[in-house]
Amino acid sequence: MKKIAIYGKCGIGKSTTVSNLSAALARRGLKVVQIGCDPKADSTKGLTGGKPITSVLEVLGLKKTGSTLDDLVVEGDLGVLCVEAGGPTPGIGCAGRGIISAFDRLEELDAWGRLAPDVVLCDVLGDVVCGGFAMPMRKGYADEVAIVSSGEMMALYAAHNIANALANFATRGYARLAGIIQNSRNIPDEDDLVRRAAAELNTSVIGIVPRCDLVQKAEDQGGTVVSCFPDSAQAGVYHALSCLLVPDLTSKLAHAGTAPAALAAAS
């Protein structure tokens, strides 16, 4: 099992990227769990027909210790298993507590042993790296951290904060930084800006996701590009990125004849 935490500034397209990666990995025949770690609990909407699912915090509020995996995990598109940590009422309580409560309950229920996923993707808000939001960085919860960024100043600033948090706690068993995923916004010299920022952080750009109107069209349908437009070049980008992030499981391809050509080229 490989566990990857994907961080990024709010609004950078992180959840869209993660959902498309989940779909691409599932198309390869892998069993995927996606955990949304944002108080808005909207990470997995692209895998559930645009409909929000009940968050772990909501379930715990209703059932306390009587909650089961069936209460917390919803099977979405392509068989991706979806979990939303959730958060408190806006203005009340600590948002990071939702993440802590979600992970604690999943551990109590032996989720990974019982679900037996090949890949776990955690979609984590990266504007604030407090104790709760930093929890998925820790070794055991994630093997690697990838950061979604564009060439915009505030997105790169958030990327620096996330990378610095990993560096500061490297001796405490935190996950390693896998690199930056560029979610392009078509600003001038964007590729160079992100590449130079990655170099400053002693990492690299894992892949570049071009700006594409198919992303919005898929979201309007409550889905991902990988599902709604499976033969598109944009779907091929997500498939190739999935192979770069999870190269050691490519032998489990179950749909090699249906994936775009970019997938075969990447693997």
Side-chain angles (χ1 to χ4, degrees):
M1 176 175 61
K2 186 165 187 176
K3 293 178 281 187
I4 305 172
I6 300 182
Y7 281 76
K9 178 185 177 298
C10 182
I12 198 58
K14 172 175 45 61
S15 295
T16 298
T17 302
V18 175
S19 294
N20 275 283
L21 283 172
S22 290
L25 289 162
R27 281 279 301 275
R28 289 166 54 189
L30 302 177
K31 191 172 186 180
V32 183
V33 175
Q34 179 171 323
I35 305 176
C37 299
D38 189 311
K40 299 192 302 299
D42 60 355
S43 169
T44 58
K45 287 175 65 177
L47 299 164
T48 58
K51 299 176 181 178
I53 65 175
T54 305
S55 72
V56 175
L57 272 193
E58 289 175 302
V59 172
L60 294 181
L62 293 171
K63 294 195 173 183
K64 306 300 181 184
T65 57
S67 58
T68 67
L69 273 183
D70 287 338
D71 296 319
L72 308 182
V73 182
V74 173
E75 184 171 334
D77 191 28
L78 298 171
V80 176
L81 301 177
C82 303
V83 180
E84 292 284 357
T89 301
I92 302 174
C94 171
R97 284 299 308 172
I99 300 173
I100 295 171
S101 298
F103 276 88
D104 284 348
R105 187 57 183 152
L106 288 170
E107 284 194 345
E108 290 169 2
L109 294 171
D110 186 27
W112 309 142
R114 293 167 61 188
L115 296 175
D118 297 304
V119 185
V120 178
L121 295 180
C122 295
D123 172 10
V124 195
L125 181 68
D127 293 79
V128 180
V129 191
C130 69
F133 289 107
M135 189 172 184
M137 290 183 175
R138 301 174 189 173
K139 192 70 174 177
Y141 294 102
D143 306 306
E144 298 176 347
V145 169
I147 303 172
V148 178
S149 181
S150 66
E152 296 164 307
M153 179 182 69
M154 294 309 296
L156 291 173
Y157 182 78
H160 274 77
N161 280 344
I162 297 160
N164 286 338
L166 280 171
N168 289 338
F169 295 104
T171 58
R172 300 188 187 182
Y174 276 42
R176 76 173 191 88
L177 179 59
I180 294 177
I181 299 169
Q182 179 181 319
N183 195 36
S184 303
R185 295 297 180 91
N186 291 347
I187 66 171
D189 301 318
E190 185 164 29
D191 292 0
D192 186 55
L193 286 169
V194 177
R195 187 166 50 248
R196 285 194 284 116
E200 290 174 9
L201 299 173
N202 296 314
T203 191
S204 60
V205 178
I206 302 171
I208 297 176
V209 179
R211 196 166 181 83
C212 177
D213 61 358
L214 291 183
V215 173
Q216 185 61 53
K217 289 180 179 179
E219 291 183 350
D220 289 344
Q221 297 178 38
T224 60
V225 173
V226 171
S227 281
C228 296
F229 307 101
D231 298 319
S232 66
Q234 190 74 2
V237 169
Y238 292 119
H239 278 291
L241 182 57
S242 82
C243 289
L244 291 170
L245 282 171
V246 191
D248 52 320
L249 298 177
T250 52
S251 60
K252 293 191 67 174
L253 289 172
H255 303 284
T258 61
L263 173 58
S267 57

